[in-house]
Every structure is written in structure tokens, then in C-alpha cells.
Amino acid sequence: MTDFLWAAFELFITFFENLTVCHFICRFLKLDLKSRKGIILYLIGCVSFSVIVTVINNFTLYEGVYGLIYTVMFFAYSLFLPGSVIKKAFAAILANIVIVCTNALVTSTISAASGNAVAEILGTHTLERVIAVLSVQILLIYIFGIILKITADKDVALRSSEWLLILSVFVVSFVSITFIHMSQLYSDYNENQTRILLIAELGLVIINLICFYMTVAMSKSNRQATLLKLEKQQQEY
């Protein structure tokens, strides 16, 4: 009975998390969620993501670098949504890096605070596991909400070179945090080593926050430059 309830809880969390992620991608790419088409695309994304994640979770405790599959999954789904290809890639990578960073930080923090290994928190039916899972969901809603609020009614306007640099930072950060988390999962660290790795993960998250705000700042600057150029052209005519 306990195993059944835990499996039901995990399935619910998986579906809820994918509701949150799908909502973020749709809103970020300006899909009209009030239209019939928007609702259908949203539900298809939620169900598809949940099925794929559930299948993968049955084969592995932690996806590691194979978590890039989720980025591909998000990007493939975004192809059916509005926006340019580069912006869809940005949304897919950003969504996955938020999920990876949030999961890694929460799990590492609980591990450092409780003294339990990361593998124990991820793989056992304990109170720490419940706290970690619920904390991640709350943080994802909050973080995605902040991103959408910052980018609301504003299209991300970047040059190709700027897109490439920012996406590169996100990809490198994803790989780095993934390997740190894998080392915590498959190695036996003492409390001091766990705290050091937690600080390293936090540093990578801060770098990504700075990168995101740089994206917003550059986008704003590019829009202003475009407006000034148009005004100048109008004055000349």
C-alpha cells in the first residue's frame, strides 16, 4: 500500500512539474492559452512530457548528461509554437537549466543540512525526499513566474552572436552542474566536501542569473537602438 501511494505521489509530481514547464514554454513563446488551439497544444505538451519523463525515470535514478534529452523534447514541442527557431532553442535550454539547477541546489542543500547522501534523498521514500520534491515544485513556479514577469510584453531581441554566447553559457552550466550532481550521487563525500560542492553549484547558478539579466539588458538596448534608427530614418524622409 505504501509503495502504491508513493508511486501515485511521484506520478502526480511528474505531471505537475510538466504542467509548470509546459506553461512556461507556452507563455514565453507567446502562445495564446485562451484559444482552443492554445489549450490543445498545452495539454498535448503536458501529457507528452509526463509520459516521456515517467518512462525515463523507470530506467534511471538520475539522468545526468542524458538530461539533454529533455532539452531536445522541449525544443521539438516548441516547433509547434510561435516564435523564431533561436528563441525556441533559448526557451528549451532555459527551461531545462532552471529545472536542473533547482533540483541540484535543493537536493544538495537538504543533503548538507541533514547529513544524508544525495543518493539516499533521491532513491528512498523518506521525509527528506518529500521535502525536496515539494520545494523544487514551489521554486519552479516562483522562478518561471519571475522570468515571465521580466519578459512580459517584451520580445527578446538579440543578435545571432549574442544568442550564441548566452546559449553557450547555459549549455556549459548545465553540463557542469550535472557532473557535480553525478559526483555527489555516485561518490561518498563527507559533510565539508558536500558543502563545498553546494557552493560550487550556487556559483554556477549565480553565473546563470547574471547571464539572464544580461540577456534582458542587451535585449532592451537592442530594441532602443532599433527604435532610434527608425526615428532617424523617419526624420530623414
Side-chain angles (χ1 to χ4, degrees), residues 28-193:
F28 188 84
L29 294 175
K30 304 295 189 294
L31 176 68
D32 183 9
L33 292 175
K34 294 181 180 179
S35 67
R36 186 167 179 266
K37 179 182 177 182
I39 294 173
I40 292 173
L41 284 172
Y42 175 58
L43 292 176
I44 289 174
C46 295
V47 173
S48 300
F49 293 172
S50 299
V51 170
I52 294 172
V53 171
T54 300
V55 171
I56 293 175
N57 286 343
N58 285 330
F59 290 97
T60 180
L61 180 64
Y62 180 67
E63 298 85 352
V65 292
Y66 294 110
L68 287 171
I69 294 173
Y70 298 142
T71 300
V72 175
M73 176 179 72
F74 296 154
F75 178 70
Y77 170 70
S78 71
L79 293 176
F80 297 95
L81 306 180
S84 63
V85 173
I86 192 70
K87 188 176 180 182
K88 292 173 181 178
F90 179 78
I93 294 173
L94 179 59
N96 206 14
I97 195 70
V98 169
I99 294 171
V100 169
C101 289
T102 305
N103 274 284
L105 276 180
V106 169
T107 308
S108 297
T109 300
I110 293 176
S111 175
S114 65
N116 294 329
V118 170
E120 184 178 347
I121 294 172
L122 292 178
T124 58
H125 303 168
T126 60
L127 177 61
E128 286 84 0
R129 171 64 177 163
V130 174
I131 293 173
V133 168
L134 294 179
S135 298
V136 167
Q137 303 314 309
I138 293 170
L139 285 172
L140 286 179
I141 293 172
Y142 182 71
I143 294 169
F144 284 141
I146 290 176
I147 294 173
L148 290 173
K149 187 174 182 179
I150 292 173
T151 58
D153 301 325
K154 298 176 183 176
D155 196 17
V156 182
L158 297 176
R159 301 181 182 89
S160 298
S161 57
E162 294 168 344
W163 277 117
L164 183 61
L165 289 172
I166 290 167
L167 291 176
S168 297
V169 172
F170 285 157
V171 170
V172 171
S173 298
F174 170 85
V175 174
S176 300
I177 291 178
T178 297
F179 276 114
I180 291 174
H181 209 53
M182 286 175 65
S183 70
Q184 291 177 304
L185 186 61
Y186 300 118
S187 302
D188 186 18
Y189 291 116
N190 59 41
E191 291 185 10
N192 288 333
Q193 291 171 325

